[in-house]
Amino acid sequence: MTPKLALQGLVKRFATKGGDTLALDGVDLEVEAGAFVSLVGTSGCGKSTLLNIVAGLEQPTAGTVLVDGDLVVGPGPDRGVVFQAYSLFPWRTVAENIGFGLECARLRKAERRRRVAEMLGVVGLSEFADRLPRELSGGMRQRVAIARALVGEPDLLLLDEPFGALDLQTRQSLHEFLRRVWRRTGATVVMVTHDVGEAVYLSERVVVLTKRPGTVSEIIDVPFGRSRGPEVRREQRFLAIEDEIDDLLRARRAS
């Protein structure tokens, strides 16, 4: 079976005043359809660069990115992207923000309204459809950003530190929200995070990258079902996986 996402020999160099900087060096990774995979690694290891290449926002120096066997050469509607910064249009309502990509795709107005209304229900913001972003909490704004990424029905959802700027309570609430949305939509999810506990709780696999230049160091399977709840965080197996990944990251920093 063709994987949903395949990275093959991915290399990325950046030109700097001091010479070329090698950010990624030979990344190979496959993600199956419907999976939830998180990328973790030390600061500067290239996690966000890798995600931007998958999104088509940056081009690799070498190697390929394939989605359903097709070469990624730029952004596309098959991939929805959510960043840590909400990047909402402050002058547009919640509904208008969510529907912006559909407007760009020139969908008929009736179809746009149907999809936006459906997605407002999915993210629990139907009663806030006519509000402006400034009238929402940080967690609600991030839900709008996720809804905007999902409304085009992408097969692949890419999340770059989506909850990093939120307080602990809001972050944990959005963890439950994201898991519900993932199960409901069946999207394949790839998330970059610096929070090991978050990665273990949300993911089916955690990919540990080496320090720069980044490449895949370890892939840790998370042995909990998709219907897991917050209580799993207290299980000894959960804590052991957290410790294993923390130990790997400490070793990478020290090497």
Side-chain angles (χ1 to χ4, degrees):
M1 179 183 296
T2 302
K4 172 60 65 177
L5 172 66
L7 312 180
Q8 300 172 345
L10 207 64
V11 175
K12 180 63 178 181
R13 291 181 181 275
F14 291 102
T16 65
K17 290 182 179 179
D20 283 356
T21 296
L22 183 60
L24 298 170
D25 188 17
V27 176
D28 294 306
L29 179 66
E30 291 187 351
V31 178
E32 299 302 323
F36 195 129
V37 172
S38 286
L39 308 177
V40 301
T42 59
S43 179
C45 73
K47 302 184 296 295
S48 294
T49 297
L50 191 156
L51 207 73
N52 285 337
I53 291 172
V54 174
L57 301 174
E58 294 184 22
Q59 294 299 311
T61 305
T64 58
V65 178
L66 303 173
V67 176
D68 284 331
D70 296 326
L71 184 66
V72 170
V73 295
D78 56 338
R79 282 151 288 143
V81 187
V82 179
F83 299 102
Q84 180 174 328
Y86 316 120
S87 301
L88 302 180
F89 298 116
W91 61 88
R92 282 178 166 256
T93 66
V94 166
E96 289 167 347
N97 266 285
I98 293 173
F100 177 73
L102 302 181
E103 290 180 41
C104 295
R106 300 187 181 279
L107 263 69
R108 290 179 299 176
K109 186 176 290 187
E111 176 64 9
R112 292 204 309 265
R113 286 176 176 168
R114 184 194 69 79
R115 287 204 197 180
V116 169
E118 180 182 20
M119 190 52 60
L120 282 165
V122 169
V123 300
L125 291 174
S126 296
E127 63 186 285
F128 297 92
D130 297 324
R131 301 284 184 89
L132 293 172
R134 68 171 180 267
E135 301 176 89
L136 307 179
S137 68
M140 293 168 74
R141 291 176 198 168
Q142 197 60 299
R143 278 194 272 167
V144 175
I146 292 171
R148 184 175 59 186
L150 287 171
V151 73
E153 300 177 356
D155 297 323
L156 186 59
L157 180 62
L158 306 172
L159 306 170
D160 190 2
E161 302 272 12
F163 311 128
L166 303 173
D167 63 82
L168 179 61
Q169 186 174 6
T170 302
R171 192 159 67 240
Q172 291 181 344
S173 174
L174 283 177
H175 288 169
E176 303 312 313
F177 158 75
L178 180 58
R179 289 191 58 79
R180 290 194 301 271
V181 169
W182 171 52
R183 293 197 300 269
R184 179 167 175 175
T185 63
T188 306
V189 181
V190 179
M191 181 179 72
V192 165
T193 180
H194 67 277
D195 186 327
V196 171
E198 179 175 86
V200 176
Y201 181 62
L202 291 173
S203 311
E204 295 176 303
R205 289 192 297 157
V206 179
V207 178
V208 182
L209 300 181
T210 63
K211 70 179 184 180
R212 192 175 67 196
T215 192
V216 175
S217 170
E218 304 280 347
I219 299 178
I220 309 297
D221 290 320
V222 180
F224 306 111
R226 293 190 175 192
S227 59
R228 71 191 73 165
E231 66 281 353
V232 78
R233 294 176 183 269
R234 297 188 293 272
E235 290 191 18
Q236 190 58 45
R237 287 187 302 167
F238 185 98
L239 299 174
I241 294 171
E242 268 193 301
D243 287 344
E244 179 184 1
I245 296 172
D246 279 332
D247 288 344
L248 287 169
L249 293 177
R250 277 194 292 270
R252 298 297 170 266
R253 292 188 192 99
S255 63

